[in-house]
Amino acid sequence: MPTVSAASAEPAALEGAEKKPLKPCCACPETKKVRDACIIEKGEGMCTDLIEAHKECMRALGFKI
């Protein structure tokens, strides 16, 4: 029974996301956090792979980057 309620909750969450457009600042928090930490610690030049991974995630959500 819990799997049924979890499965039914997912579409409701997706519907809520469709009504309110996702802001770029809130998209891809996992890749953003790692990217930002790397840039602060090592500098932008050393984090190109993480920067690209974040861009790919943003593009996958429909942002034009």
Side-chain angles (χ1 to χ4, degrees):
M1 195 65 114
T3 20
V4 173
S5 63
S8 63
E10 284 181 33
L14 292 176
E15 289 173 13
E18 290 174 359
K19 292 179 184 177
K20 282 188 172 182
L22 184 62
K23 296 179 183 179
C25 63
C26 301
C28 303
E30 301 85 17
T31 57
K32 182 178 180 181
K33 183 177 180 179
V34 176
R35 176 206 65 181
D36 290 350
C38 182
I39 291 171
I40 290 169
E41 293 173 15
K42 300 177 184 178
E44 190 174 335
M46 299 296 292
C47 304
T48 54
D49 57 333
L50 296 173
I51 293 168
E52 287 304 314
H54 184 62
K55 286 180 180 179
E56 298 257 339
C57 181
M58 298 286 285
R59 288 181 190 119
L61 292 175
F63 291 99
K64 295 179 182 176
I65 295 179

